[in-house]
Amino acid sequence: KEGNEGNNHYGPLTVITGYLDSLAEDEDLPSDWGKPVAQMRGQADRMRLILGDLLKLSRIEASGPASLEETVDVVSILERSQAAFEGHAHVASIKVRAKSAALLRGSHSEIETVIVNLLSNAVRHTPKDGEIILTWRSDAKGADLIVADTGEGIDAEHIPRLTERFFRVDKGRSRDDGGTGLGLAIVKHVLARHGAELTISSEPGKGSTFSCRFPADRVLEQAKAAS
């Protein structure tokens, strides 16, 4: 049923992109139509991403607390995410600092979403010669997942609104920068489902730090912690 509902939501976009794809492949398409059709295809793809994130956010908001039964290897997700982003053109250096081998009790897919969204955000706002540090650490009171960068930074007045849907710090910045404007809202609601809190600290020109603090009842310490 859920899958059918998703298909119904995407139906109109599927029709639109189908016609646009056909136009793009049409050898008789007038040359001056090539750029507009390409732009329309790009915007249709962007709308699909936005719709997907809206549906994801809606499902998360309608859900209760995440289960304590499933365990998540946070370090493993950090390392896979690092490998997926690192090496691409214009991507800053990415380092993983695993200061704990503790597992997290919760949803693997949702915690992966948090990590990917925070890392994607850092990549978009950090120059190639900058650095992004992914940290996982734990103590008796809980655990911290931290994404810190040396990017452009954010003015203090904007920080409280960063997790709002579609909020943009720079109203003049192109909306084609790869984000949907929903990533941090999704992060906030996933963390709420895991009893965690998001703290953001930043300074223009000096980078930003996004810290996710998980409570002790969500942390499963391993017998052999990483050094």
Side-chain angles (χ1 to χ4, degrees):
K1 182 178 180 181
E2 183 176 338
N4 291 335
E5 290 175 351
N7 290 334
N8 289 337
H9 287 299
Y10 283 109
L13 271 178
T14 301
V15 173
I16 292 171
T17 55
Y19 280 121
L20 289 173
D21 290 343
S22 295
L23 280 172
E25 296 169 2
D26 188 349
E27 296 180 355
D28 296 326
L29 183 73
S31 59
D32 58 344
W33 280 39
K35 184 175 180 180
V37 169
Q39 290 176 332
M40 286 187 285
R41 292 176 78 191
Q43 290 303 312
D45 287 340
R46 176 170 172 74
M47 285 301 300
R48 184 182 295 275
L49 292 175
I50 292 174
L51 180 56
D53 274 358
L54 280 171
L55 291 172
K56 182 185 298 182
L57 184 55
S58 177
R59 287 194 295 268
I60 292 171
E61 287 178 325
S63 303
S67 171
L68 291 168
E69 299 302 316
E70 183 182 353
T71 56
V72 183
D73 186 342
V74 176
V75 174
S76 177
I77 298 177
L78 290 175
E79 291 174 343
R80 289 202 309 273
S81 299
Q82 174 196 34
F85 281 88
E86 204 169 41
H88 290 256
H90 310 301
V91 174
S93 169
I94 303 173
K95 297 180 180 178
V96 174
R97 291 181 178 170
K99 299 183 177 182
S100 170
L103 301 179
L104 186 65
R105 300 180 189 272
S107 167
H108 181 283
S109 62
E110 291 185 10
I111 296 303
E112 184 170 27
T113 294
V114 167
I115 291 172
V116 171
N117 280 340
L118 290 179
L119 180 53
S120 298
N121 185 67
V123 166
R124 284 198 300 274
H125 300 293
T126 305
K128 182 174 174 58
D129 60 354
E131 185 177 62
I132 300 170
I133 304 295
L134 310 176
T135 301
W136 175 244
R137 67 190 186 194
S138 63
D139 55 34
K141 297 182 180 180
D144 297 297
L145 168 62
I146 304 170
V147 178
D149 65 63
T150 59
E152 58 198 41
I154 309 161
D155 285 321
E157 63 182 291
H158 298 307
I159 291 178
R161 298 192 61 193
L162 289 180
T163 57
E164 293 181 10
R165 300 183 185 197
F166 302 115
F167 176 74
R168 294 273 174 164
V169 172
D170 182 359
K171 296 294 191 298
R173 177 178 293 165
S174 169
R175 289 185 176 271
D176 296 326
D177 65 356
T180 63
L182 293 166
L184 292 179
I186 290 173
V187 166
K188 175 184 176 180
H189 285 87
V190 167
L191 293 179
R193 266 180 38 84
H194 289 77
E197 294 183 356
L198 175 65
T199 302
I200 305 171
S201 60
S202 185
E203 186 175 344
K206 295 187 178 181
S208 305
T209 300
F210 291 76
S211 302
C212 311
R213 180 64 174 177
F214 294 90
D217 65 343
R218 287 280 176 182
V219 182
L220 179 62
E221 293 288 351
Q222 295 289 74
K224 295 182 179 180
S227 59

